[in-house]
């Protein structure tokens, strides 16, 4: 009897086999809007780190500035890749927009731009100068905010009129388009001091509070639906577990927003109103961040459960980064406004978790992109009531 001898296949050989016969333009077919999550997850490393104790100067300051520069460069790369995707694969792009598993990720474009905008003002201007930083930050923030407000309307509109969504198939990804205005509200305060004093400056401040309200109220509508689905329909956690971290986004970012806005309210609105902003930031931020920490523990327990059954890598792992980063900035804001060392320690601990998650996810993403695993072929999306089965978010 003849025996077949199978030789081991090296990672390099596997990568070559994936790319063999693939036209260069075909490498852009499956670059969806979810790739912007990698920009968000990188930018938050710089934004969150810059406010931590000991990061004001020296090596830590240089390190977070380098990360901001990397996020800016990566944003440009992903924008070009997405432009190539629309240019050469408009059919796939239109299918993605009409796919209820992919469409919510269009909110990531807005958040990627506004996150990099904030980093430009926080650390970038030390390298490129205030004038260039202002021009870049304003451009990214304005364009990103307009896109975010558009996705907040367009994606729910498509969900109500075009998307075929099975009952009980809600996912945490539904939060992505409606969190975008909250990110604008949290990053806008970096620019408010550079707006002409008077009506314009007050309009921008209150406009940021309006976006805070838009996102918060939308989250209050969607989150109970998502939680109900997770409890009653028991998704397959090996796929769905990273998505639980997306819930931290509107929580941590809302705490960040009210604290950042309170810092710039003096002299913009009436003294009576300005005096109320900091107490509101603390009274809102303390319970919401407390809930975020409970949810973080819950999410970590589910991830530990999922690892026992296997937790395959996908671009959904970027959900481990930006949402945790928003909790870092929220805790930092409460530390500044309360003076409690507990919040400083919390921010530093969360930042360590953020950096570890970013390191693992970035390395796996780079390896997947070079091997073609994330680019050459993407399984079709499918959503069923009993599980989050979409791998289109990879």
């Amino acid at each position: 009897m003849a025996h077949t001898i199978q030789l081991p296949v090296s990672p390099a050989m596997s990568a070559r086999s994936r790319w063999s016969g693939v036209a260069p333009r075909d490498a852009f077919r499956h670059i969806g809007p979810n790739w912007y999550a990698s920009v968000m997850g990188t930018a938050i490393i710089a934004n969150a780190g810059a406010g931590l104790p000991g990061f004001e100067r020296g090596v830590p300051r240089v390190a977070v500035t380098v990360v901001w520069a990397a996020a800016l460069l990566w944003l440009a790369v992903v924008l070009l890749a997405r432009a190539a995707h629309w240019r050469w694969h408009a059919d796939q792009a239109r299918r993605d927009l009409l796919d209820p598993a992919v469409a919510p990720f269009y909110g990531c474009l807005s958040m990627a731009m506004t996150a990099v905008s904030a980093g430009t003002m926080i650390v970038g201007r030390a390298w490129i100068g205030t004038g260039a930083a202002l021009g870049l930050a304003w451009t990214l923030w304005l364009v990103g905010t307009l896109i975010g407000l558009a996705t907040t309307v367009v994606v729910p509109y498509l969900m109500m009129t075009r998307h075929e969504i099975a009952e009980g198939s809600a996912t945490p990804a539904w939060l992505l388009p409606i969190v975008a205005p909250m990110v604008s509200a949290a990053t806008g305060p970096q620019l408010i001091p550079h707006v002409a004093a008077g009506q314009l400056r007050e309009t921008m401040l209150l406009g940021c509070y309006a976006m805070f309200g838009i996102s918060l109220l939308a989250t209050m509508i969607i989150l109970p639906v998502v939680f109900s689905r997770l409890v009653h329909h028991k998704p397959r956690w090996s796929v769905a577990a990273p998505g639980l971290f997306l819930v931290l986004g509107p929580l941590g970012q809302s705490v960040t927003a009210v604290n950042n806005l309170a810092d710039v309210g003096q002299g913009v609105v009436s003294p009576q109103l300005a005096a109320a902003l900091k107490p509101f930031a603390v009274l809102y931020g303390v319970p919401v961040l407390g809930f975020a920490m409970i949810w973080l523990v819950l999410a970590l327990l589910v991830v530990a459960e999922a690892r026992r059954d296997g937790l395959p890598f996908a671009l959904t792992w970027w959900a481990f980064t930006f949402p945790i980063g928003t909790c870092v900035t929220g805790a930092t804001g409460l530390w500044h406004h309360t003076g409690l060392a507990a919040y400083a320690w919390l921010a530093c601990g969360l930042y360590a978790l953020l950096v570890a998650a970013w390191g693992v996810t970035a390395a796996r993403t780079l390896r997947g992109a070079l091997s073609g695993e994330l680019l050459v072929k993407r399984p079709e999306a499918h959503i069923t009531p009993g599980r989050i089965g979409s791998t289109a978010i990879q």
Side-chain angles (χ1 to χ4, degrees):
M1 180 181 293
H3 294 279
T4 301
I5 300 177
Q6 294 194 4
L7 298 176
V9 179
S10 69
M13 292 173 62
S14 177
R16 285 196 297 270
S17 65
R18 281 195 182 95
W19 285 110
S20 61
V22 176
R25 67 173 57 187
D26 288 339
F28 297 94
R29 173 169 287 279
H30 299 303
I31 296 182
N34 48 319
W35 277 88
Y36 290 115
S38 60
V39 180
M40 296 161 54
T42 303
I44 200 67
I45 296 285
N47 299 355
L52 294 177
F55 276 69
E56 297 86 357
R57 60 184 67 85
V59 174
R61 190 72 175 185
V62 173
V64 294
T65 308
V66 169
V67 174
W68 161 79
L72 176 61
L73 178 61
W74 186 235
L75 173 61
V77 170
V78 178
L79 284 170
L80 289 173
R82 285 288 294 158
H85 171 80
W86 274 94
R87 171 65 178 83
W88 291 324
H89 306 290
D91 58 331
Q92 181 66 53
R94 286 190 291 269
R95 281 198 297 270
D96 286 347
L97 193 58
L98 296 177
D99 187 336
V102 182
F105 287 86
Y106 274 87
C108 293
L109 169 56
S110 166
M111 293 184 280
M113 298 182 80
T114 52
V116 174
S117 169
T120 303
M121 294 303 298
I122 295 171
V123 296
R125 61 177 169 177
W127 280 12
I128 66 176
T130 300
L134 273 173
L136 178 60
W138 269 117
T139 301
L140 291 173
W141 189 84
L142 287 172
V143 175
T145 297
L146 290 174
I147 292 172
L149 290 172
T151 59
T152 303
V153 175
V154 172
V155 174
Y157 168 78
L158 291 174
M159 293 172 70
M160 290 187 287
T161 61
R162 298 291 189 275
H163 295 165
E164 295 294 333
I165 302 174
E167 184 178 357
S169 60
T171 79
W174 286 13
L175 293 167
L176 288 171
I178 57 96
V179 174
M182 187 70 81
V183 180
S184 292
T187 55
Q190 298 292 334
L191 297 167
I192 288 176
H194 302 280
V195 178
Q199 289 279 318
L200 281 178
R201 189 176 295 180
E202 183 174 1
T203 298
M204 183 164 178
L205 177 70
L206 295 184
C208 287
Y209 272 108
M211 289 188 288
F212 161 82
I214 291 168
S215 186
L216 179 63
L217 293 175
T219 299
M220 292 172 65
I221 294 171
I222 293 174
L223 191 54
V225 179
V226 172
F227 185 74
S228 175
R229 184 279 165 111
L230 297 177
V231 171
H232 290 113
H233 295 282
K234 301 296 187 294
R236 184 163 60 93
W237 289 118
S238 60
V239 176
L244 285 179
F245 286 78
L246 295 176
V247 175
L248 297 174
L251 300 176
Q253 199 65 280
S254 65
V255 177
T256 303
V258 292
N259 280 276
N260 288 351
L261 289 166
D263 287 336
V264 297
Q266 192 68 38
V268 178
V269 292
S270 67
Q272 296 85 355
L273 185 56
L277 298 183
K278 289 187 179 180
F280 171 69
V282 174
L283 292 175
Y284 173 87
V286 170
V288 172
L289 189 62
F291 176 71
M293 293 302 96
I294 290 296
W295 188 272
L296 174 61
V297 173
L298 173 64
L300 289 171
L301 289 174
V302 172
V303 168
E305 178 81 14
R307 284 197 64 187
R308 287 196 286 268
D309 299 326
L311 188 62
F313 175 73
L315 285 182
T316 49
W317 281 31
W318 283 102
F320 296 137
T321 58
F322 187 81
I324 294 177
T326 68
C327 294
V328 176
T329 54
T332 301
L334 289 174
W335 167 52
H336 287 306
H337 286 150
T338 65
L340 290 177
Y343 283 115
W345 283 106
L346 177 62
C348 291
L350 290 172
Y351 190 73
L353 179 62
L354 167 64
V355 171
W358 178 86
V360 172
T361 305
R364 295 292 296 272
T365 301
L366 180 61
R367 186 171 73 181
L370 293 177
S371 69
E373 182 181 355
L374 297 176
L375 299 175
V376 173
K377 182 180 179 181
R378 183 181 66 185
E380 292 299 322
H382 56 281
I383 295 181
T384 59
R387 57 184 275 193
I388 299 178
S390 172
T391 51
I393 51 180
Q394 294 183 8

